[in-house]
Amino acid sequence: MDLLANVMHGFSVALQWENLGWSLFGVFMGNLIGVLPGMGVLASISILLPLTYAMTPVAALMMLAGIYYGAQYGGGITCILLNLPGTPSHAVTCLDGNPLARQGKSGSALFMLVVSSFIGASIGITVMILFSPVLVEVAFQFGPAEYFSMMMLGLFAGATLAKGSAIKGVAMVFLGLLFGVVGTDVNTGTIRYAFGIMELSDGVQLVALAMGLFGLADFFANVNRIGKATLIDNGSRMSVRPEPGDIRKSAAPIARGSVIGSVLGILPGTGATIASFMSYATEKRLSKTPGRFGAGAIEGVAGPEAANNSAAQTSFIPTMSLGIPGDSVMALMLGALIIHGIQPGPQMVIEHADIFWGLVASFWVGNVLLVVMNLPLIGMWAKFLKVPYKYLYPAALFCVCVGVYSTNNNLFDVGMVLVLGLVGYVFLKLRFSPAPLLLGFVLGPMVEENFRRALLLSRGSMSVFVDRPISAAFVYAIFALAAWLTYTTFRDRRRVRRLIQTQA
């Protein structure tokens, strides 16, 4: 009963006109930022943070939170329409979202994007309300050994992201690991693998990598279409209604993606990007027809979008309950609280009930506003595909350059996007999927850091990874997945061999 009363009190705070207005402003800005390729959430929150000085704490947090999860909605739109991930957490949506658009199903894909985002966010909010104390206790059980084992499992699962050969997928994961360790070693302060280029001392930029491998590579692959229409024929259906069977196919992926995102959202350093990749790998592994993934499977849009939106909500749990930010965006949120003289921690729910429950209620209010904003616009977004290619892609590439430059105010990053785009084009021609590389890049630094930290704590004993129950469970899962990948590879080869013999 107390829980219901607290939630109702939160809605009474969130629905005050001033707070509601700032929440609407936040979700609108977040949605716009997500749609513009390369315009990062972190930079946008940093720019708008000074606005909060003259605002009440509740209004300030509602606006900043609206920017954060509003970008989770908007970022998927350019993935589907232009193969340009608005934010890194949406990169995996490009794998099936853009093929669906090229088949004339952009309206259906955008509809499922909005629906799965709303359901994922709602489940994440519910988990945040009901299970915050339990989830925080679970998060406390994760040490360096558990993080390393879990992320290694994610890297092995990343091989399943590749369309076709699992060996190519593993190769791309390892290449991503190499990209990830470029820059300054966090333990020794030594610059590694930069080849004397000082601009690489901070490593390869994630936004530049995602934009180059997905957006620019696709542009190079289709540049001969300049002067023609887009990749979508004008006769293609642009219905905003889901295709027959899409809702049935998407129901289970949305549920699984929401659970994956809710759990990973509370773990520091993981968040929405890893949650979306893990959801995609799970759906492809569980599918009876994995060959559809990468060619336009609606499950490849629904699951990851539910995962990254639920993770965006539950990532507030450690920030608000413990004062431990999970990523740089949450660190800015923490800074906004401290600016207003509020110390996050276990007592925040009691000492600042208006702020805590008002923010929780605003999540639902903001997500409803996002649905109301986005559903009527689906038809308009889909019609962008009828704009001639010679106008659409140069305009998108201009936004990419501006967005990437604004990250560090450095033209070197723009040149990096160009180089990575050429590399991505070569990968497309050789039929190497870029998604496992991006996953390896995201997880690589965290894998290395937690591996070294675990060995330091165990005085160099490798047994630490199997002595701890949670870590051991992940290690056994890695061996099981490796055995399964080996079995499926040999099985597919036997089937091809038998087919050749039959035809002969």
Side-chain angles (χ1 to χ4, degrees), residues 6-86:
N6 288 329
V7 173
M8 296 305 296
H9 174 65
F11 275 106
S12 68
V13 173
L15 293 176
Q16 293 176 10
W17 284 112
E18 179 186 3
N19 297 335
L20 186 62
W22 284 114
S23 180
L24 177 60
F25 174 76
V27 297
F28 173 78
M29 290 300 298
N31 204 38
L32 179 64
I33 290 162
V35 170
L36 295 176
M39 298 297 291
V41 180
L42 183 62
S44 305
I45 291 180
S46 301
I47 293 170
L48 294 175
L49 189 61
L51 280 179
T52 64
Y53 296 165
M55 297 164 59
T56 64
V58 178
L61 283 176
M62 286 178 62
M63 182 193 75
L64 296 178
I67 295 172
Y68 179 50
Y69 56 77
Q72 303 302 320
Y73 274 73
I77 294 173
T78 49
C79 284
I80 292 171
L81 300 182
L82 301 176
N83 203 34
L84 286 168

Side-chain angles (χ1 to χ4, degrees), residues 130-481:
L130 298 178
F131 304 111
S132 291
V134 178
L135 291 176
V136 169
E137 288 297 324
V138 172
F140 270 134
Q141 301 300 317
F142 276 70
E146 285 76 16
Y147 275 111
F148 170 78
S149 302
M150 180 185 70
M151 291 175 185
M152 283 300 295
L153 177 61
L155 289 175
F156 269 88
T160 66
L161 294 176
K163 183 181 179 182
S165 172
I167 296 176
K168 288 185 176 181
V170 173
M172 293 296 280
V173 167
F174 277 103
L175 186 59
L177 288 172
L178 291 177
F179 276 117
V181 297
V182 172
T184 304
D185 186 344
V186 294
N187 289 333
T188 65
T190 304
I191 299 177
R192 309 176 296 178
Y193 312 114
F195 302 101
I197 303 173
M198 291 307 298
E199 287 84 353
L200 289 177
S201 59
D202 290 330
V204 179
Q205 297 300 316
L206 177 59
V207 173
L209 187 70
M211 292 296 169
L213 291 179
F214 287 92
L216 207 58
D218 189 67
F219 173 77
F220 288 142
N222 297 284
V223 72
N224 60 340
R225 297 184 61 88
I226 295 294
K228 302 179 182 179
T230 63
L231 296 172
I232 312 300
D233 295 330
N234 286 336
S236 298
R237 290 180 294 111
M238 308 297 279
S239 172
V240 299
R241 295 192 300 270
E243 296 285 316
D246 278 357
I247 295 178
R248 176 181 54 80
K249 293 177 184 176
S250 301
I254 289 173
R256 286 189 289 263
S258 299
V259 172
I260 292 172
S262 297
V263 173
L264 292 181
I266 65 163
L267 300 176
T270 53
T273 301
I274 296 175
S276 62
F277 276 94
M278 292 292 286
S279 173
Y280 189 90
T282 301
E283 295 310 318
K284 187 174 180 181
R285 178 55 54 193
L286 294 177
S287 175
K288 295 180 180 178
T289 55
R292 294 188 304 110
F293 284 77
I298 195 66
E299 303 96 309
V301 173
E305 287 301 317
N308 69 48
N309 279 275
S310 59
Q313 306 299 328
T314 57
S315 60
F316 282 88
I317 292 175
T319 304
M320 303 287 285
S321 302
L322 301 174
I324 302 175
D327 55 24
S328 52
V329 176
M330 288 298 107
L332 278 179
M333 293 288 191
L334 191 64
L337 285 171
I338 295 173
I339 285 171
H340 288 276
I342 298 167
Q343 184 61 47
Q347 296 301 313
M348 184 177 174
V349 180
I350 299 172
E351 296 176 357
H352 303 283
D354 285 357
I355 296 175
F356 182 84
W357 292 107
L359 181 63
V360 170
S362 76
F363 293 158
W364 257 313
V365 173
N367 278 281
V368 170
L369 289 173
L370 282 165
V371 172
V372 172
M373 286 168 52
N374 280 283
L375 279 179
L377 295 177
I378 288 176
M380 184 191 76
W381 296 128
K383 288 179 181 177
F384 273 150
L385 293 172
K386 293 188 176 182
V387 177
Y389 191 90
K390 63 180 180 180
Y391 302 126
L392 186 64
Y393 261 73
L397 291 179
F398 173 77
C399 291
V400 168
C401 293
V402 172
V404 172
Y405 175 79
S406 67
T407 305
N408 294 311
N409 296 326
N410 192 344
L411 281 174
F412 178 82
D413 292 340
V414 179
M416 190 186 302
V417 173
L418 176 61
V419 172
L420 291 170
L422 292 171
V423 172
Y425 172 70
V426 173
F427 287 152
L428 287 178
K429 290 300 181 181
L430 296 177
R431 298 188 178 181
F432 280 84
S433 174
L437 187 152
L438 192 62
L439 180 64
F441 176 81
V442 171
L443 291 180
M446 291 184 284
V447 167
E448 180 196 18
E449 181 181 349
N450 285 288
F451 178 72
R452 294 166 71 175
R453 190 178 297 167
L455 289 183
L456 284 172
L457 293 174
S458 66
R459 299 180 182 274
S461 175
M462 295 288 290
S463 62
V464 66
F465 299 110
V466 293
D467 288 342
R468 298 171 67 92
I470 297 177
S471 177
F474 286 127
V475 170
Y476 295 143
I478 290 170
F479 283 110
L481 181 57

